[in-house]
Amino acid sequence: AAGLTDPLDTAARPRWPPQTEVRQMTALDRRPIGVFDSGIGGLTVVRALMDRLPFEDLIYFGDSARVPYGVKSVATIEHFTQQIAEFLLKRQVKALIIACNTMAAVAADVVRQVAGEVPVLDVIDAGARSAAQVSQQGGIAVIATPTTVNSNAYARAIHHLRPDARVYSQACPLFVPLVEEGWLDHPVTRLTAEEYLKSVLVEDVDTLVLGCTHYPLLKPLLQDVTDNRLTIVDSAVTTAEATAVRLAELNLLNPQRGMPNYQYFVTDIPLRFQTIGERFLGRSIRQLEMVKLG
Ligand code: DGL
């Protein structure tokens, strides 16, 4: 709330207001978790967080006016990402979750810089960890947006954890619009998936990483197209798990067992936003607010 000092931001602010006011601040563990994405896709991560951490308050930020990020340059994505991280830090979040694979691929360092002591988790770190663990033979396919694939972030993260891994990446730019169109089991999507996956399926892979917020919605179709042969890593679920573990380690889990509060901020509310968003989230969206950044 306005006027309260953020103890996580000691360098930037004077030692003010006096102690009495400081004592009224929300305890660290009762603060919300900030989750952000380029648009509504990150709601797949929010959904997984709601399931895994049902007592945590969440603030979601979706940059719906400037989506998609997956085809933008690194400098632009860094700039936008910093604005979003700062917006959430001002709302005193206890952790930041980069739900967007593209932002995690090229701007995770920017977020960690502005976050200071606030823990930052991201979908690539969690997805890479899970893939390195579950792959039997080390052959791992990663599908993602063009910017994520170009950054090589997944391959780097996986190799770091498992140097013997063979990582094959494929950009799937048509998946984002197809998912937003709701064509989750449409012949066009099936054909597109078959075409995209051709190049990775000729390799000896046993694991498929869904390296984009939108792809978890295509999981049944992708399982089908790959004849259920591959272990699918859904980075939404693995990120929620990693968040639960990290917050527990840091003693930051909310001790209260009340109804959690969910707030959603977006930079635009385009046509059908609510419908599409609720498909990603699997429940209704209340407390939706439009804000301007920068
Ligand atoms: N959120 C993006 C990702 O996970 C997909 C949408 C976009 O391109 O902005 O990569």
Side-chain angles (χ1 to χ4, degrees):
L4 295 184
T5 300
D6 182 353
L8 302 169
D9 192 12
T10 47
R13 297 182 191 199
R15 290 186 193 282
W16 187 261
Q19 281 305 304
T20 46
E21 203 169 334
V22 171
R23 258 186 249 118
Q24 291 165 13
M25 276 185 323
T26 316
L28 269 183
D29 50 11
R30 299 198 184 156
R31 292 183 184 189
I33 300 171
V35 188
F36 60 100
D37 177 48
S38 55
I40 42 181
L43 292 173
T44 51
V45 176
V46 172
R47 181 182 193 158
L49 282 165
M50 287 171 171
D51 289 345
R52 182 62 183 82
L53 294 167
F55 303 113
E56 298 296 335
D57 292 344
L58 302 173
I59 302 184
Y60 180 76
F61 191 100
D63 197 2
S64 41
R66 303 190 291 199
V67 71
Y69 279 24
V71 288
K72 289 189 168 66
S73 71
V74 172
T76 298
I77 297 167
E78 281 179 344
H79 175 57
F80 291 172
T81 305
Q82 178 164 347
Q83 288 179 327
I84 299 171
E86 283 168 352
F87 176 93
L88 289 169
L89 288 165
K90 272 193 210 132
R91 274 157 190 79
Q92 305 205 322
V93 292
K94 65 180 172 187
L96 278 174
I97 318 279
I98 312 176
C100 175
N101 288 262
T102 305
M103 287 197 233
V106 301
D109 287 346
V110 171
V111 178
R112 295 202 161 92
Q113 242 166 39
V114 296
E117 308 217 321
V118 177
V120 177
L121 289 107
D122 75 77
V123 279
I124 294 195
D125 189 52
R129 239 166 245 289
S130 171
Q133 248 167 34
V134 300
S135 174
Q136 299 275 326
Q137 309 295 333
I140 299 169
V142 177
I143 52 174
T145 63
T147 303
T148 301
V149 168
N150 278 345
S151 76
N152 221 17
Y154 265 107
R156 258 185 287 122
I158 294 170
H159 280 139
H160 182 69
L161 298 158
R162 187 168 169 176
D164 70 310
R166 289 164 287 110
V167 182
Y168 305 95
S169 304
Q170 173 65 46
C172 306
L174 293 175
F175 277 171
V176 167
L178 286 169
V179 168
E180 295 205 353
E181 191 58 39
W183 289 8
L184 305 184
D185 188 26
H186 191 284
V188 168
T189 314
R190 188 168 290 267
L191 211 64
T192 308
E194 282 167 1
E195 192 61 33
Y196 279 148
L197 290 176
K198 232 184 237 168
S199 67
V200 288
L201 289 180
V202 293
E203 307 295 345
D204 186 17
V205 294
D206 59 24
T207 301
L208 175 66
V209 179
L210 308 184
C212 171
T213 46
H214 288 55
Y215 303 174
L217 276 80
L218 295 176
K219 201 167 163 182
L221 181 134
L222 293 170
Q223 265 164 338
D224 219 38
V225 167
T226 56
D227 297 325
N228 285 306
R229 274 196 311 112
L230 306 180
T231 305
I232 294 191
V233 173
D234 172 346
S235 40
V237 173
T238 54
T239 302
E241 187 55 39
T243 306
V245 171
R246 178 76 78 84
L247 291 184
E249 278 168 6
L250 297 173
N251 255 327
L252 282 178
L253 288 171
N254 190 349
Q256 290 185 321
R257 292 287 176 263
M259 278 278 283
N261 188 39
Y262 302 137
Q263 259 184 304
Y264 305 88
F265 292 97
V266 289
T267 46
D268 190 20
I269 305 184
L271 217 62
R272 294 171 54 231
F273 181 87
Q274 198 95 7
T275 319
I276 302 170
E278 288 175 359
R279 185 184 302 137
F280 278 88
L281 191 62
R283 68 183 81 192
S284 56
I285 297 178
R286 300 191 194 97
Q287 295 201 68
L288 176 66
E289 205 178 305
M290 199 169 109
V291 290
K292 289 255 171 289
L293 283 186

